[in-house]
Amino acid sequence: MDHFLYRDGQLHAEDVPVSEIARAVGTPVYIYSEATLLRHFRLFDEALSGMDHLVCFAMKSNSNQAVLKLLADAGAGMDVVSGGEYARARAAGVPGERIVFSGVGKTEAEMRQALEGGIRQFNIESEPEMALLSGVAESMGKVAPVTIRINPDVDARTHEKIATGKSENKFGIPISRASAVFAEAAALPGLEVVGIDVHIGSQLVELEPFEQAYTKVAELTRQLRAEGHDIRRLDLGGGLGIPYTRSNEVPPLPQDYGDMVRRTLGHLDCEIEIEPGRLIAGNAGILVSSVIYLKSGEGRDFLIVDAAMNDLLRPSMYGAYHDIVPLIEPSSDTPLAPIDIVGPVCESGDTFAKQRPMPPLASGDLVAFRSAGAYGAVMSSEYNTRPLIPEVLVRGDQFAVIRPRPTYDDIINRDKLPEWL
Ligand SMILES: *Cc1c(COP(=O)(O)O)cnc(C)c1O
């Protein structure tokens, strides 16, 4: 459930008409609903109740400082994948002991930064990483808490670009080698092995692949404990999918996910961490755009809008589906006609939807891309020198710009001319 609903024929973000924000801030613009963000975080938190747990928001999905502070104030930890994200989390007031550090390519500088600033754990992805981290920690007179990410070789049955738990993917160590790698880690003086980490992919719409992976984690926990490791923490990753369409299949609810975690892992008396990103932020955001032109082609019509692939990359990168709805609610008998919805960028890939049935729209009309709160703004770029679009946060009947639109001068002045030119 989200808080973007039609009221009196007008799309609202909580209690604010979306058109009012568009008028004040201009388009394109990202709009987030605070109530939806908090609701989704709390659903996860409650789903794991009764178990010692921490919900670490995967901030690669949405890393605006206001979003981070909101979730951190509600008790969330953060899953970071870079030194930049670590710095953002700390700047938003997240204490080091609530930050986990994931990613296959952590650099020495990033390790140092997190050890200095404080860290709950590093999720280690390879043996060379293990060796480097141990050395870095030792040189600082510290011991780095780590989990080791295992690759359970489970088919997440999701888009290939966001599946991470098959043996052919670059992530984690093969589960068959876990015993040897954990022994190696335990022997390194700069590391303290505290648990196991797993993350099998994103936008999963079934529980079964999770259950397969977690069942393997339970078995591995027993085995590693028998081999003398004090496995006391299980990081289960993120990946729960969201409904991108109103009509399509309904992904599992956090409550069902939590029940499954309890069933497969609850008896092990471990601290449970999860790293949801998309489910917390995805349906908590929309992207609002204006129609620039309606263009008739040969046997095909195009709706050219002022948002483009640089603002919302998912459709051109993954062929992802986003519901696109007019801000003025169409009446139920409005005829729909298929149309291609495209942006102004000079690439054919700048297409949001092909032959999408839409009500009649004209130049100047406003539309909203739903489910754009995760992997939206964070993946945007200034390709075609289109300024990064602003972000707005709504709480009840108030809204605030939480990232302003840069001016052309802001963009140009980031470049520097060499003295000789
Ligand atoms: C991307 C990622 C997540 C978040 O995935 P969602 O599908 O957004 O929940 C969590 N953990 C790791 C390690 C990731 O790479």
Side-chain angles (χ1 to χ4, degrees):
M1 202 212 95
D2 61 50
H3 290 77
F4 299 101
L5 299 170
Y6 287 114
R7 266 194 230 165
D8 306 323
Q10 278 233 46
L11 189 69
H12 280 62
E14 301 192 15
D15 300 329
V16 186
V18 172
S19 57
E20 190 183 315
I21 300 173
R23 211 166 25 247
V25 184
T27 61
V29 54
Y30 276 106
I31 301 174
Y32 309 128
S33 150
E34 191 173 293
T36 314
L37 286 163
L38 287 176
R39 178 188 142 81
H40 290 161
F41 166 71
R42 289 186 181 130
L43 282 177
F44 273 116
D45 205 29
E46 283 157 20
L48 298 178
S49 63
M51 290 181 281
D52 188 6
H53 70 274
L54 183 66
V55 179
C56 294
F57 176 56
M59 55 178 278
K60 72 172 193 267
S61 65
N62 187 321
S63 56
N64 186 287
Q65 292 300 119
V67 171
L68 301 184
K69 175 149 193 326
L70 177 75
L71 293 171
D73 287 353
M78 296 290 153
D79 170 39
V80 309
V81 293
S82 70
E85 285 194 354
Y86 180 87
R88 274 188 176 278
R90 292 308 312 266
V94 186
E97 64 265 25
R98 278 202 260 144
I99 302 176
V100 301
F101 205 140
S102 300
V104 292
K106 302 175 200 78
T107 64
E108 184 173 337
E110 288 173 328
M111 292 170 176
R112 210 169 275 284
Q113 175 192 5
L115 282 168
E116 241 157 44
I119 189 82
R120 181 180 186 82
Q121 94 226 4
F122 293 89
N123 294 330
I124 294 285
E125 299 240 11
S126 68
E127 290 158 283
E129 181 190 348
M130 231 158 72
L132 179 62
L133 178 60
S134 177
V136 173
E138 254 198 303
S139 75
M140 298 170 73
K142 294 186 185 268
V143 174
V146 301
T147 69
I148 297 175
R149 177 167 176 180
I150 53 113
N151 184 326
D153 196 20
V154 164
D155 185 354
R157 295 186 221 141
T158 184
H159 192 287
E160 62 169 306
K161 287 189 181 157
I162 49 177
T164 57
K166 284 286 282 173
S167 54
E168 72 245 32
N169 302 127
K170 68 180 174 184
F171 299 97
I173 56 148
I175 194 162
S176 55
R177 298 207 51 240
S179 191
V181 176
F182 272 79
E184 200 185 318
L188 288 170
L191 303 187
E192 185 189 8
V193 181
V194 298
I196 305 172
D197 172 43
V198 67
H199 170 74
I200 58 173
S202 198
Q203 186 51 21
L204 272 69
V205 292
E206 302 163 297
L207 279 185
E208 201 193 316
F210 287 116
E211 185 156 2
Q212 278 176 29
Y214 298 170
T215 303
K216 290 188 180 190
V217 168
E219 177 51 39
L220 183 62
T221 303
R222 273 191 296 274
Q223 184 195 330
L224 291 172
R225 281 177 171 171
E227 290 167 9
H229 300 281
D230 181 15
I231 302 297
R232 53 190 183 276
R233 191 178 288 173
L234 302 176
D235 184 330
L236 305 177
L240 209 54
I242 61 171
Y244 276 97
T245 69
R246 305 269 133 175
S247 52
N248 223 332
E249 81 234 286
V250 184
L253 300 170
Q255 186 61 55
D256 299 331
Y257 173 85
D259 290 345
M260 182 273 292
V261 168
R262 199 172 284 108
R263 196 165 63 238
T264 49
L265 300 165
H267 60 287
L268 293 168
D269 199 28
C270 279
E271 194 180 351
I272 302 289
E273 293 165 353
I274 56 169
E275 304 168 342
R278 191 187 308 272
L279 201 145
I280 290 179
N283 284 332
I286 57 174
L287 165 61
V288 178
S289 181
S290 307
V291 174
I292 310 177
Y293 300 116
L294 178 62
K295 172 176 170 175
S296 295
E298 252 176 72
R300 221 177 170 89
D301 290 340
F302 297 94
L303 200 61
I304 304 173
V305 297
D306 66 355
M309 62 188 286
N310 67 296
D311 305 311
L312 179 65
L313 187 57
R314 301 186 66 257
S316 58
M317 183 151 148
Y318 309 124
Y321 181 100
H322 285 267
D323 250 1
I324 304 170
V325 298
L327 293 205
I328 310 287
E329 185 174 22
S331 64
S332 55
D333 56 1
T334 306
L336 304 181
I339 194 161
D340 285 12
I341 302 173
V342 303
V345 160
C346 306
E347 306 235 5
S348 295
D350 187 20
T351 298
F352 291 117
K354 284 195 166 151
Q355 297 297 290
R356 177 75 60 91
M358 293 293 287
L361 286 162
S363 173
D365 287 349
L366 296 173
V367 294
F369 292 70
R370 286 190 179 275
S371 315
Y375 306 105
V378 286
M379 282 193 180
S380 58
S381 74
E382 286 179 339
Y383 186 40
N384 281 210
T385 306
R386 296 168 44 84
L388 285 186
I389 67 179
E391 294 172 272
V392 167
L393 185 65
V394 174
R395 169 188 286 183
D397 61 2
Q398 52 178 334
F399 68 90
V401 175
I402 55 173
R403 186 173 74 188
R405 194 188 307 274
T407 64
Y408 294 142
D409 278 346
D410 291 338
I411 297 176
I412 294 164
N413 291 334
R414 281 208 304 262
D415 296 355
K416 294 285 170 241
L417 296 178
E419 272 170 29
W420 66 78
L421 203 66

